[in-house]
Amino acid sequence: MCPGSRSGSPDTRVGMPAAPGRALGWTRRPADDEESAIQPGSSPHRGPVRVEVRGLTKSFGAVRAVDDLSFTVEPGSITGFLGPNGAGKTTTLRMALGLERPDAGTATFDGVPYPALPAPVRTVGAVLETAFHPARSGRNHLRVYCRAAGLPPSRADEVLAQVGLAEAGRRRAGGYSLGMRQRLALATALLGDPAVLVLDEPANGLDPEGIHWLRGFLRHLAHDQGRTVLVSSHLLAEMEQTADRVVIVGAGQLVREGSLAELRSGAQGSGAVLARSPEAGRLAEVLGAAGFTLVPPDDDLVTVTGTTPAAVGAQAFRAGVELHELRAETSGLEELYFRLTAGQEQYAAPQGGAR
Amino acid sequence: MTALVRAEWTKLFTTRVWIGLLAGACLLAGGSAALVTGLAGQPGGPPPVGTAQFEQLALAVASNAAVLSLILGIIGMTQEYRHRTATPTFLTTPRRGRVVVAKLLAYGLAGVPFALLVTAVTATVVTVYAGARGAAPSLTGDNLQVLVFAGLAIVVYTVIGVGLGALMRNQVGAIVGALVYLYVVEPLLSSFQATVDVFRWLPGGALRALTTTAGGPPGVTLDLLERWQGGLLLLGYGLVAAVLGTLLAVRRDVV
């Protein structure tokens, strides 16, 4: 714990946790079939769990909040669930966790819908909102869910230490800062030592140090321990630093799914390709004739959108145009994200180019 | 289910709501018992100390605490929605019906010591005060029955509160609604001969049948159900509230 945590304001003096996940003891063992048969310290889930969302759809009145959404979340990696506010992220997560009823579609954890899991909190831990009774201490809040899930009450202290709340555990949760509330919610999700973690905007309210800590914590859970981590956010910058893969949604529909590297490189034809040539004018002509979308050459630079470096290079090679530089634009992810999610017609279909 | 019931008890006893309500219930019951005993025998007051009517009337005031056990049940259920803990609760137990059933059991069982304490306080106040005024009632026979039924009413009202909370979800709305119903709607219905036939079958009428021997307001014959019928009817209301509350909690989205 950092010194001065007793006298400091509760806002920032949360204290650094022990090494992330040190006390997790996550092991692969066969699943228990009843919640009452749980032995202290055992981890009865079945190892890595894949999350599959298929055709989820839900309308609120005339608004289609989630529209035929399908994606997959793989174990051992952090998947960012990215989209602007109101894109349907929270509704999707709540449907996947059995809290809201979809109009159509399914979400499964290794093929099993959440409500049918034999020991749900041991398979999936979820941080959906920072929900607790303000008059109850953080520790007692956790002990409630230990009891309900048949976990030993000592788990409450273990997860409190994991998220760095050991000292604040006995205080009323109503007095916690926003960052501490996020940590308490995360601790609740970790109680069952789950194979899958689902977090809805977990960085909200965390200070920079807290965000840095969370990032490391999630990486440890996914990369070192092989868990499946799904994190939603509306902030691309945050996801760029945390996620391995992203699922981008806009207006309830899937916009793009893939690794960040793929998106960034434009390998899916979503970025811009920059080509430098001493014969920029001729290169533009050749590419334009082949049906590529490009902006007018600027000096020796030709910018082509909606395609890949490979496609541009091949065309230039066929036409015998000399190239000095050929690369995907890597700095435009923010712009890409914005473009992808800005309006219906813009993410309806990627522009084909010369595929 | 045992684990879920114990989880509900942990929730109940890790905030101070129950202390306030229990203290209030004891004060309410003890205070009205003292008032009834103190006024006994005065012109226009309760029957004099030493009569069977006085003793039953004074002991029956324990059932006044039922309104507080009702509120306890309502808070127990609606706090999940008010503080949004319904989300972690239903994540831990996705079969939501089990949560509501566990709550009904937990609060029904917690209502038993609650009722025991309230009736004990009432009996103590009446015994000591009436004893000082000349004749302490015996806590046997009809007197004991009155106490038992008052306690039963307190327990059943806790269960009704949980069911009502599951139906309404909004804490303030459920409590205000219950109080308006109990103290405005039902007294209104019970004060006219034309509506008394309806009142008899309502929860308040059942409560009165279960716990009091007094008649209605001047000019109105209450004609309440038999005591055991009132008790059964009250249990029925508790059951209906529980079943409806469970069904709704299972079907509605958790928001």
Side-chain angles (χ1 to χ4, degrees), chain A residues 23-46 119 121-123 149-152 154-155 158 190-194:
Chain A
L24 283 174
W26 187 65
T27 50
R28 297 173 190 186
R29 287 190 212 165
D32 276 349
D33 55 359
E34 249 311 314
E35 56 182 18
S36 55
I38 285 163
Q39 300 300 312
S42 73
S43 301
H45 61 72
R46 292 155 290 185
V121 294
R122 315 181 131 241
T123 309
L151 300 163
S154 57
R155 275 300 288 162
E158 287 170 30
L190 290 170
L191 274 179
D193 195 14

Side-chain angles (χ1 to χ4, degrees), chain A residues 135-155:
Chain A
R136 195 174 287 137
S137 73
R139 184 164 173 269
N140 279 332
H141 168 84
L142 294 169
R143 289 167 77 101
V144 164
Y145 298 106
C146 285
R147 281 232 191 286
L151 300 163
S154 57
R155 275 300 288 162

Side-chain angles (χ1 to χ4, degrees), chain A residues 94 98 101 114 129 136, chain B residues 14 84 87 91 96 253-254:
Chain A
R94 293 185 77 88
R101 192 174 291 229
Y114 186 85
E129 52 201 332
R136 195 174 287 137
Chain B
T14 49
R84 310 187 65 79
T87 296
L91 281 176
R96 297 180 216 161
D253 285 348
V254 182

Side-chain angles (χ1 to χ4, degrees), chain A residues 35 58 94 97-101 114-115 120-121 126 128-129 131-136 140 144-145 147-149, chain B residues 3-4 6-7 10-11 14-15 79 83-85 87-96 98 250-251 253-255:
Chain A
E35 56 182 18
K58 187 170 179 82
R94 293 185 77 88
L97 296 165
L99 294 169
E100 292 182 23
R101 192 174 291 229
Y114 186 85
V121 294
L128 290 183
E129 52 201 332
F132 45 78
H133 194 295
R136 195 174 287 137
N140 279 332
V144 164
Y145 298 106
R147 281 232 191 286
Chain B
L4 291 181
R6 290 179 68 198
T10 307
K11 284 180 200 171
T14 49
T15 66
Q79 67 178 2
H83 302 298
R84 310 187 65 79
T85 49
T87 296
T89 296
F90 290 139
L91 281 176
T92 310
T93 316
R95 278 128 86 193
R96 297 180 216 161
R98 290 166 58 92
V250 169
R251 291 177 155 261
D253 285 348
V254 182
V255 285

Side-chain angles (χ1 to χ4, degrees), chain A residues 219-240:
Chain A
R219 281 202 197 109
H220 178 72
L221 294 175
H223 300 163
D224 303 342
Q225 301 188 325
R227 296 179 208 242
T228 314
V229 179
L230 177 64
V231 196
S232 86
S233 176
H234 60 278
L235 296 174
L236 174 76
E238 177 51 34
M239 285 299 103
E240 268 191 284

